[in-house]
């Protein structure tokens, strides 16, 4: 079926593997939005259970990075945060405790967002707290493309997000320039960007990224850092890019491979 986005992407992943650095002729430069939406809509109902079985730790790793950032600014919580590719909200509780204002989740999968919308600050999204705080975990949840999303209405007229977290998101993009430029556009001055990626070596990925047979992308750390937007000239009105406080590209654990996706 040529209209099946999942089949088309996985065929490209299998055919493209072994090309120049995994980014050879015919290899897509990112997972098509239709592929990502269909993939995670299909897995939404079983997603949290499957990741628990896989001992999935990326949200906790992102949370630990945000904890470290918060320790460096005692008494100054982040005014706002974007949970980019939020999925069912597993990273949300790790962010919420450090954000005094709007916490916005963005994802392509409406079924994932529906699950995240049911989470409160004391229940759901991986949290079973003793406090009974029934306020929603997220202040806003939006079905948008991260490469093109505008600043949400909650932040219109403001300086942009004070923190952006992209846990298991870069693995669905090969070429990172458009995504990182939009993150910069959405960021307040000096806002940190916390993200994860799958690591490739320069020998494995001559172009800096490669499409894996799993349908995910791996990157070299050098490529990711190089793709960060440069600061604008001093007299330019644009916001400066977010500050990369921690760049972690890790080998994917063997146990986490297989047909079920981990979070974008």
């Amino acid at each position: 079926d040529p209209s099946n986005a999942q089949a088309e992407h996985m065929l490209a992943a299998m055919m493209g593997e072994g090309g120049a650095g995994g980014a050879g002729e015919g290899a897509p430069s990112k997972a098509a939005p239709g592929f990502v939406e269909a993939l995670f809509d299909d897995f939404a109902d079983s997603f949290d259970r499957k990741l628990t079985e896989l001992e999935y730790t990326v949200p906790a790793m992102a949370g630990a990075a945000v904890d470290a950032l918060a320790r460096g600014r005692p008494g100054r919580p982040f005014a706002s945060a974007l949970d980019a590719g939020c999925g069912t909200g597993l990273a949300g509780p790790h962010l919420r405790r450090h954000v005094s204002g709007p916490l916005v989740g963005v994802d392509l999968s409406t079924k994932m967002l529906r699950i995240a919308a049911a989470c409160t600050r004391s229940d759901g999204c991986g949290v079973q707290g003793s406090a009974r705080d029934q306020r929603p975990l997220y202040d806003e949840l939006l079905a948008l493309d991260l490469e093109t999303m505008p600043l949400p209405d909650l932040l219109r007229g403001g300086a942009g997000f004070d923190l952006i977290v992209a846990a298991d998101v870069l693995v669905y993009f090969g070429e990172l320039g458009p995504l990182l430029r939009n993150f910069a556009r959405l960021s307040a001055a000096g806002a940190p960007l916390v993200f994860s990626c799958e690591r490739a070596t320069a020998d494995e990925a001559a172009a800096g990224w490669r499409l894996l047979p799993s349908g995910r992308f791996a990157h070299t750390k050098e490529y990711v850092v190089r793709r960060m937007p440069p600061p604008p000239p001093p007299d330019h009105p644009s916001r400066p890019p977010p500050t990369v406080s921690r760049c972690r590209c890790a080998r994917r654990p063997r146990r986490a491979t297989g047909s079920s996706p981990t979070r974008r």
Side-chain angles (χ1 to χ4, degrees):
D1 180 0
S3 66
N4 188 312
Q6 294 187 62
E8 182 180 16
H9 182 81
M10 295 309 299
L11 177 62
M14 290 185 290
M15 298 296 291
E17 182 67 9
E25 184 178 354
S29 62
K30 68 174 185 178
F35 163 76
V36 176
E37 180 181 8
L39 178 69
F40 288 100
D41 275 352
D42 286 350
F43 275 96
D45 292 337
S46 60
F47 185 74
D48 289 5
R49 175 179 58 80
K50 287 183 180 293
L51 293 196
T52 298
E53 293 171 356
L54 293 172
E55 299 179 15
Y56 182 63
T57 61
V58 173
M61 290 166 56
V66 175
D67 290 345
L69 289 168
R71 287 194 295 271
R73 45 185 292 158
R76 292 188 301 118
F78 296 101
S80 59
L82 170 63
D83 186 357
C86 65
T88 58
L90 293 178
H94 299 284
L95 311 183
R96 179 78 269 179
R97 60 178 175 264
H98 297 302
V99 180
S100 60
L103 174 59
V104 178
V106 172
D107 204 280
L108 283 170
S109 169
T110 55
K111 289 187 178 180
M112 291 282 202
L113 291 173
R114 199 172 301 133
I115 294 172
C119 299
T120 70
R121 301 192 186 194
S122 60
D123 290 296
C125 291
V127 172
Q128 294 296 329
S130 56
R132 306 306 299 173
D133 187 343
Q134 293 304 306
R135 288 178 295 171
L137 178 64
Y138 291 93
D139 296 282
E140 191 169 19
L141 289 163
L142 302 168
L144 294 170
D145 188 323
L146 291 172
E147 283 190 334
T148 58
M149 67 168 285
L151 200 63
D153 290 341
L154 278 177
L155 274 73
R156 289 284 167 85
F161 286 105
D162 212 18
L163 168 69
I164 294 181
V165 175
D168 224 3
V169 169
L170 273 59
V171 295
Y172 291 96
F173 297 85
E175 168 55 52
L176 297 179
L179 175 68
L180 296 178
R181 284 194 294 273
N182 202 39
F183 281 167
R185 189 179 63 81
L186 297 170
S187 297
L193 169 62
V194 174
F195 60 89
S196 65
C197 60
E198 289 194 30
R199 187 179 68 196
T201 66
D203 289 339
E204 294 169 336
W209 58 268
R210 67 181 303 188
L211 178 60
L212 303 174
S214 64
R216 291 159 62 95
F217 292 89
H219 302 83
T220 66
K221 183 173 181 177
E222 294 74 17
Y223 170 83
V224 176
V225 173
R226 191 169 66 246
R227 275 295 183 266
M228 290 294 164
D235 58 346
H236 196 279
S238 298
R239 297 187 183 99
T243 300
V244 181
S245 59
R246 183 169 300 186
C247 174
R248 180 170 185 141
C249 293
R251 289 285 184 185
R252 186 174 178 166
R254 188 172 301 275
R255 75 179 71 181
T257 60
S259 59
S260 27
T262 49
R263 187 60 224 141
R264 58 177 277 274

